[in-house]
Structures are given as structure tokens and as C-alpha cells.
Amino acid sequence: MAGLINNLLIPFLVFQNICLGFRSPLSLFKRYKDTTRSLSSECLGSDRPVISLGLSDFALDIRMPGVTPKQSDTYLCMSVPLPVDDEAYVVDFKPHASMDTVHHMLLFGCNEPSSTENYWDCDEGTCKDKSNILYAWARNAPPTRLPKGVGFRVGGETGGRFFVLQVHYGDISAFRDKHKDCSGVTLHLTQQKQPLIAGMYLMMSVNTVIPPGEKVVDADIACHYKRFPMHLFAYRVHTHRLGKVVSGYRVRNGQWTLIGRQSPQLPQAFYPVEHPVDVSYDDILAARCVFSGEGRTTETHIGGTANDEMCNFYIMYYMEAKHAVSYMTCTQNANPEMFRNIPQEANIPIPVKSDMLRMTHGHHEETKDTDKSSLLQQAKKEEEEILDQDFHIEEAVEWPGLDLKLGQVSGLALDPENNLVIFHRGDHVWDENSFDSKFVYQQRGLGPIEQSTILVLNPSNAKLLRSMGKSLFYLPHGLSIDKNGNYWVTDVALHQVFKLGADGKEALLVLGVALQPGSDKNHFCQPTDVAVDPITGSIYVSDGYCNSRIIQFSPNGLYMMQWGEGTETSLGRARPGQFHIPHSLALIPDFSQLCVADRENGRIQCFRLETGEFIREIKHKSFGRQLFAVSYVPGGLLFAVNGMPYPGGAEPVQGFVMNFSTGEIIDTFIPLRKSFEMPHDVVASEDKTVFVGDVHARVVWKFTSTEKMEHRSVKKAGIEVQEIKEPETIVEARLKNNPESTDPLKKQEKQHLVRQASTGVSFVLITTLLIIPVVVLLAILVFIRWRKTTVYGADGDHKLDSSSGRILGRLRGKGGGGLNLGNFFASHKGYSRKGFDRLSTEGSDQEKDEDDGTDSEEECSAPPPPPAPSSS
């Protein structure tokens, strides 16, 4: 009997010993959670400030513990200890604040906060020892993302062990209802060593005085750099209300190189340094803030209140780990004479729309109810920006929309109810007989299209909800829908742009002259697309096949400005602002930008809405020679489709998903049923449902986001979903090394927080894997016991007992510490962070001959210099 008990005890101890080794990753934070303070019930998401993101990564939620400031210009501080003892690295930030309540936030790292209270007045100080700025936020800034391999070092022997959050509450009128504020920031940290260490360089004027009524006042800052090389990747500007423009430069051998230039009245985010800038020993870092004292009756000084001013230029940089310095400052002007040679751009204010001014200063002055509503919607949209890159786009093969009987599909859009709207050509086609050499439509005798050209479908089952647009159009092309549900369409045969009411029965606004191509303010030449700014109502038209320009109109259709020119093919590469068929528009209100699919140049160009100023180009070799359409989804995703490769080209026809901030391709997709022939337009919703219309195949495909298999196994292994009622409590917890897939996010799931349960690694999975060898071991021991009893009789019991004692002795000797997870954690690879990576500009722009078009459905462009690209 004793032998049988020993036989049962052996596998039990083996099982217990292994299970003790598989401790939950969250057990790492048990000491931290046991000492976490009690927070206000209004601070949703703050009751569990540490959230596991894997074996070596975790999120740390740093929030004000439900505070109500008593007077304006209050600075409140609170601290959070680093929840691990070893060195860690901050690799991502997500702010949770709105300008309606918070003027700005700063996050410091240090070893000893100025107070041990839940929060305190920052007049007492932030830290007792040296503090480093890790992050700064103001004016509804979007999230800051660090480049791959770069992190802020914290903890260990050299990094700070506490985070101190400082929140400046400017005007407290928003607290009339006595609500409690829980603003803050969520950090993504990893314990994997980073080869490059990030730091902050702050350039700040401390003695500028702005006289009342003075039109232009410059504040200049300059310092000699005396350290190891650093590489600059992001910048941020900060002033109060009087600031017009802030510019930063590296000066080397008298040459001024721009780091960044921005209006401080726009969202004060960290913007990427567009062209990489390195700073070496003895370079000069210089910055200028331009102010205006107009409207003030007294002098304005540098200070901490909203009525004072500030002149700050923040630079995020990285250095090799062995030379890294985490924080540097410059508060002097080492060489005033050098500013005589500062580039003229530093003296030119960046214009800001009045709507944006009301947004950025809305908590200091009264605004109309409609403005407040718009601001709240915008704030909510920005708070919900989560760049979830862990997904893959695949065709929804069960969607019946592929069987619709359509003409050439030229445009797609989603209406305010998220219904799919299709713009197609019925029985008309665009072929080589449609236009003459002067772009005049040659088939007017056919009359307008008799079928309904605008179809509204249920996006789930493709059921037709309503149709419109009979006998209105000749050759439909572009389609967009404004926030009020009005349809904006272009007709390349009529050379016109139309605004139709939601019922589609009559035109509310018509731009252009019917059937008359032209290049002046009143005419278009085959306009391709239209976009409407949801904030200002301004209208933007891409014009088009035979013009190469973007035209801006006022909400009531008055010409305002235009930009763009034709591509000079002899130069080889198209310059910024040059177009070869501006084919599709995507308006990005979050960043006040307009992006254009520059079709025959195979690229995306983005411009400032206010000025038409070129910002950047997104171009990849995989685009090939043509890029037909682009669509933006709030939250930071761009979708695009390309065209058929030219002869000799290898790039397939496909759809693309890109990170808007970096231009990086996150995913590509193709249909499973049929094949792309000439995908002409693309539109996507916030849940990553994508529709693509093909002008040749005459179909519309539906694609949805699907989750990666690796991610599904983790979810099955113990992930709980907790509903959160406020969008600012969403934690970005899906950062992976190879971002390619995720489940479709339904609307009701957008405000859910994915958290790993306290069991960490799946207990069920581990138990299943362990029971199998335990059962086998038990069976072997029982068999041995039976055999020995049979062969040796009673002596067998003693022999087995002796053997069991030796096994138990070995187990006790090795099992004291359980399974060592240290190596397991150290070997885990973190996710790939692509923020601020350089945009790919690969690919040739040399013209190639195109295949002869033989399809009767072929669209033909107006004939630019041969070889002519196919039109659509």
C-alpha cells in the first residue's frame, strides 16, 4: 500500500512543481497592485493601472485620482512608482485628456517625488531630485509613437523609479458641475533592452517680454552642442495664445537645417522630423518663436499662467545606449548675431482657420453651441484613436453583393448611417470613342443614363435600401458624402461637380459648366473626386484627367484657391505638388490634411488644408506605376488600391493598409472570389470593413478584418473583455511583432478594454499539456508495480520504495524554486514599433508602354503625351 501511495505522490509533486513555475505574468506586479491607492469611481480604468501585454511588456495607466481644481491656472501633480524593480523602457504613449479641461500635461521621471500624497499642488515641486521630461501633451494632441528599437530608459541603476504627472488646468469653467477629472497618460513599457535610448532636449526662452500692441516679437534660443551624436526624430512646439510660429534648426558650418516648424495654435503633438537630422559635437541648435502683442494692453512675460506666454521647442532624439543622456536643456542665446541669417520661413506665421482657433482656445472664451458640439465630437474622435495593427484584411466571402448587376463602378462612399453607397455608370461606358482630342464628350446623343446611378445598400447583406440618380449623369466618376448626408459627385463627361440632397432628387449646388471643359476658375476638365471639410464646409475638387490641380471652394461654391501643376516627364521624377491625374481624395480632419492619390505617379501626396502646402509623399515600390484611390479611417489608417502593372512590372493589383503617421504598409489584401481587374475606388469604416469597387469587373467586394491565429490562442488562454463607458479609457493592448490580423471590431466593442486575466498564461492549456505526461508516467509506474509484485512478490515493494525515495530526493533538490521564468521572459520578443520611420520612396517613375486595351469596357484617359495611361 505504501508503494502505491508513493507512486501517486510522485506525479503529483511533478505536476505541482511545474505549475508553480508557470506563475502568472501579472504576479510580477502583485506587490504594486496590493499597494495601489483607492481611486474615484469616476476614474474608469484606473482601478487596475498595470495591464499585462505579454511576457515582457505591460501597460501602466497614470491618471489624476479624481480631482476638481478650485481655481484657474492650477497645476496638480501625482506620482506612480515603476511597478518593476529591474530596468524597463517606455516605448509608447497614449494621452487621455481633452482641452476642455486640461491646458497641458507633462510627464517626468525621477527617483523621489516631492510628495507622497495621492496628488499635490505642483508649487511644492515635482521631484526632490533631478527630473527628466518624458512626455508632453497639449491641445488634443494625438498619440506619440517612437521608432523601432527606441525607448525611454526607466528603473534599474540609472533610470528613475517614479513617474510624476503634472497637469495644468487653465480655465476651470468646465468644472462648474463639480465633476472629478481623471486625465493622464497610458504608457507601454517593455523589459527587453532597447539598443537606442530616447531623450528630450528642451529649448526654452526665459526672459522674453512682449510689449502691448507690438505686431512682431521674436524670441531666439541657441546653444552649442557638446556631446555624443544624437538623432532627432520628433519635435513639438509650445506657446500660449500670442504665439504665431515656432521653428527649430541645426546650424552646421553656417548652414541652417530645419528640424521642424509649426503653428503653436494647432494640436500640440510631437510631429515627426520629416527629413532625418543628426546633431554632432559643436553643432548649434537654434529656435525662434514669433509672437504678436496685438490686442494686449499690458506687457506679457514668460510665465506659467494662461495669460503669460511660453516659448518652448521640444526635440525627441535617440542615442546609442552606451552614450545616452536622457534630458538636456537650452535656455540661452549663445549667438544673437547668427539669427540675421535664419531662413525667412521662420518669420512667416502659419495661418490657422478660425475654427481651429476656437478649438484650441475654446475653454478660454465663449463659443456657439454648434461649435461646442463640433469640438466635443472632434475630441471624442481623437480620444478614440487607436492604431490597432494586429489584423489582416480578407474578403467576406459570404457577402452577396458580388452578385449585383452593376455598370462600371466608379465611386464608393459610406453615409452617416454607415450604409454603402455605390456610384456606377449603368449602360454607359468610357471607351476610346467617348471624347475627342479637346476632351469634349462625343456621345451626347445617347442621353443621360436612364438607370439609377446611386445605390444605397445595407452593408451587411447588400440589400438595396434606396436608389436615385436617374437621367442626371453621363459618365459618373467620384463620390463622397458629407456629415449631413449630402451626396457630392463628379461627372467627367459633363465636366461638373454636383451636390445632391440626401434624397438625391435635385442638385443643391452645381460647379462647372455642362459639357464644357476648361482650366479657369469656372470650368473643370474631367474632374475626378470631391471632398468636403466637416469642420469648415470647404469643398475640395481634384481636377482631373486633363488638368493637374486641386481647387478649393467655399461652402457655397465660391472659388478660393488652387494648387498643383502637371508632371514634367522629362525630369524623370515628379516633384512635390505635381500631378499626373489626381484621381482620388482623402480628407484627414484629425490632422487638417488632404491626401491625393496621384494616379499615374503611383503615389499619395498630402497637403495642408488651410494653405495647400505640401507636407509629404507616401510611395512604395509595391504600389507599382499607378495608385487609383485612397481612403482614411479615423484612428490613423490609410487604405489604397493600385492598378495593373505596366509591361515588365511585377507588382500585383491589390489593396493596401497603411499607418497614416509613418506611411508604413501594415497589410495588403486581394479578393478570393474573382480577381481585381481595375479597382477604381476604396472606402473603409472605423471597424476596418473595406469595400472596393472595380470599374472593369463591375463588382464591389467587401473585406473585413480577421484576427491572427497567434492572437486567437492568447484570447482563448484567458483574456477577459471589460466594458468601458468612456473612450479615453481604451488601452492600446494589441501591440505585436508582426501586425497582420485582428477580429472585426463591432461598434459595441469599440469601448471595450482587453485585459489579460490574472492567471496570465492559460491554466487550462498548461494543465492539458501537463496531464498527458503525468498520466503516462502514472500508467508506467502502476505497470512496474504490477510486474514487480507478480515477479518478485513482497520483495518488490521494498525495491520500489527505495527507487521512489531516490526520485523524491531528486525532486526536492530541484524543485525548491519552481520553474525559473527569468530566461523565459528574457527570450520573449516584443512588438515592432514603426512610428516615425522614414517613408519609402522606392520605385521608378520612368514611363513605360502600356498594354493595348482591347476590352470594350476600357476607360480611356484624355491623351497626355504618349504612352497614355489607361483612364478610369
Side-chain angles (χ1 to χ4, degrees), residues 325-338:
V325 178
S326 59
Y327 183 61
M328 293 178 274
T329 60
C330 171
T331 59
Q332 60 180 339
N333 185 356
N335 188 355
E337 295 298 317
M338 65 180 285

Side-chain angles (χ1 to χ4, degrees), residues 11-271:
F12 172 76
L13 291 175
V14 171
F15 177 76
Q16 182 187 45
N17 183 68
I18 297 176
C19 287
L20 286 174
F22 281 98
R23 293 171 295 175
S24 161
L26 286 182
S27 67
L28 183 66
F29 311 122
K30 185 176 186 303
R31 171 183 57 80
Y32 178 87
K33 295 199 298 180
D34 290 344
T35 59
T36 299
R37 62 191 179 282
S38 175
L39 299 179
S40 164
S41 61
E42 296 185 29
C43 294
L44 297 175
S46 297
D47 58 327
R48 290 182 58 191
V50 181
I51 303 162
S52 174
L53 300 181
L55 296 177
S56 60
D57 289 24
F58 59 95
L60 180 61
D61 208 28
I62 303 175
R63 304 289 192 99
M64 276 292 162
V67 301
T68 304
K70 305 300 183 184
Q71 61 183 21
S72 296
D73 290 317
T74 295
Y75 285 76
L76 296 181
C77 291
M78 58 85 65
S79 66
V80 171
L82 182 67
V84 294
D85 295 327
D86 298 330
E87 193 173 76
Y89 302 86
V90 180
V91 295
D92 211 351
F93 305 87
K94 178 170 176 55
H96 308 285
S98 169
M99 64 188 176
D100 294 321
T101 54
V102 174
H103 184 269
H104 71 262
M105 297 188 301
L106 292 176
L107 183 68
F108 299 87
C110 64
N111 284 311
E112 188 176 5
S114 293
S115 174
T116 58
E117 299 295 325
N118 277 1
Y119 69 95
W120 66 91
D121 191 316
C122 298
D123 287 344
E124 302 174 24
T126 54
C127 298
K128 293 182 180 179
D129 61 333
K130 180 182 177 181
S131 62
N132 300 326
I133 295 179
L134 301 178
Y135 180 69
W137 174 95
R139 306 215 188 288
N140 281 358
T144 293
R145 303 190 183 278
L146 305 183
K148 180 180 178 180
V150 176
F152 284 93
R153 182 164 52 197
V154 294
E157 297 180 358
T158 59
R161 297 185 176 275
F162 282 85
F163 297 104
V164 177
L165 176 68
Q166 178 195 90
V167 179
H168 174 199
Y169 297 96
D171 178 61
I172 64 166
S173 59
F175 289 92
R176 292 169 182 166
D177 58 357
K178 306 298 182 183
H179 76 273
K180 298 182 182 300
D181 181 65
C182 310
S183 297
V185 61
T186 297
L187 308 182
H188 180 165
L189 295 100
T190 181
Q191 292 185 289
Q192 294 183 8
K193 287 190 175 296
Q194 302 296 295
L196 303 170
I197 303 303
M200 188 81 70
Y201 193 108
L202 171 59
M203 306 186 72
M204 177 173 60
S205 174
V206 296
N207 54 10
T208 297
V209 178
I210 304 171
E214 192 74 20
K215 188 173 182 179
V216 178
V217 178
D218 296 333
D220 295 334
I221 316 156
C223 288
H224 287 273
Y225 183 72
K226 299 292 184 180
R227 295 182 180 271
F228 284 96
M230 64 177 178
H231 305 271
L232 316 184
F233 64 90
Y235 71 95
R236 172 182 176 265
V237 304
H238 179 69
T239 72
H240 293 170
R241 297 169 63 92
L242 302 185
K244 301 301 181 184
V245 63
V246 181
S247 308
Y249 296 88
R250 180 202 69 190
V251 185
R252 176 183 293 172
N253 300 324
Q255 297 296 316
W256 293 68
T257 300
L258 180 68
I259 299 170
R261 172 177 173 265
Q262 187 58 276
S263 167
Q265 307 308 322
L266 294 173
Q268 294 185 6
F270 276 95
Y271 292 90

Side-chain angles (χ1 to χ4, degrees), residues 515-529:
L515 299 169
Q516 293 185 15
S519 306
D520 57 24
K521 298 178 181 180
N522 300 314
H523 291 81
F524 301 111
C525 193
Q526 297 176 342
T528 54
D529 203 6

Side-chain angles (χ1 to χ4, degrees), residues 315-598:
I315 304 171
M316 269 192 188
Y317 61 86
Y318 62 83
M319 307 172 71
E320 293 185 13
K322 60 183 178 181
H323 301 310
V325 178
S326 59
Y327 183 61
M328 293 178 274
T329 60
C330 171
T331 59
Q332 60 180 339
N333 185 356
N335 188 355
E337 295 298 317
M338 65 180 285
F339 283 90
R340 294 181 178 179
N341 299 318
I342 192 170
Q344 185 60 29
E345 64 185 358
N347 302 313
I348 302 175
I350 295 177
V352 179
K353 294 182 294 188
S354 58
D355 303 74
M356 185 64 70
L357 287 172
R358 282 197 296 272
M359 283 184 62
T360 54
H361 299 298
H363 57 291
H364 290 301
E365 57 190 41
E366 293 296 324
T367 58
K368 297 179 181 179
D369 291 341
T370 55
D371 291 334
K372 290 182 179 179
S373 175
S374 175
L375 300 187
L376 289 174
Q377 291 175 1
Q378 183 75 359
K380 181 177 180 180
K381 181 184 295 183
E382 291 178 353
E383 285 173 334
E384 291 179 336
E385 284 187 347
I386 298 177
L387 190 57
D388 180 359
Q389 298 182 350
D390 189 23
F391 63 90
H392 176 59
I393 300 297
E394 291 183 355
E395 184 188 351
V397 294
E398 75 284 354
W399 192 64
L402 213 63
D403 300 324
L404 293 171
K405 302 301 181 182
L406 302 171
Q408 293 182 329
V409 179
S410 62
L412 300 176
L414 297 173
D415 67 15
E417 287 74 42
N418 226 32
N419 295 316
L420 173 65
V421 183
I422 300 174
F423 197 31
H424 74 115
R425 296 176 184 155
D427 57 4
H428 283 205
V429 296
W430 184 351
D431 57 27
E432 64 275 7
N433 300 315
S434 297
F435 295 89
D436 65 12
S437 61
K438 295 182 179 180
F439 316 114
V440 176
Y441 186 56
Q442 298 296 297
Q443 297 171 333
R444 284 172 286 181
L446 297 176
I449 301 169
E450 296 180 357
Q451 297 87 9
S452 294
T453 54
I454 300 176
L455 308 178
V456 183
L457 305 182
N458 183 315
S460 300
N461 56 25
K463 180 181 179 181
L464 181 65
L465 302 178
R466 57 187 178 275
S467 60
M468 61 202 78
K470 290 183 178 180
S471 302
L472 290 178
F473 308 110
Y474 286 80
L475 280 181
H477 199 275
L479 166 69
S480 65
I481 302 175
D482 64 25
K483 64 180 182 180
N484 298 317
N486 298 308
Y487 300 97
W488 294 81
V489 299
T490 70
D491 188 311
V492 291
L494 291 171
H495 305 287
Q496 287 180 301
V497 175
F498 298 86
K499 174 186 178 182
L500 304 177
D503 57 7
K505 293 182 179 179
E506 59 178 334
L508 305 180
L509 179 67
V510 179
L511 301 176
V513 180
L515 299 169
Q516 293 185 15
S519 306
D520 57 24
K521 298 178 181 180
N522 300 314
H523 291 81
F524 301 111
C525 193
Q526 297 176 342
T528 54
D529 203 6
V530 59
V532 180
D533 190 330
I535 299 174
T536 66
S538 294
I539 306 160
Y540 298 87
V541 177
S542 50
D543 180 38
Y545 282 93
C546 34
N547 287 327
S548 299
R549 60 180 179 173
I550 306 297
I551 312 176
Q552 180 185 356
F553 297 89
S554 69
N556 58 0
L558 296 178
Y559 175 91
M560 296 180 67
M561 68 171 180
Q562 70 180 49
W563 69 86
E565 61 181 5
T567 300
E568 298 180 26
T569 56
S570 61
L571 297 179
R573 178 173 179 80
R575 298 196 303 266
Q578 291 185 339
F579 298 111
H580 195 176
I581 306 181
H583 196 257
S584 171
L585 300 177
L587 198 143
I588 296 90
D590 302 351
F591 298 93
S592 193
Q593 294 184 26
L594 181 73
C595 292
V596 184
D598 186 6

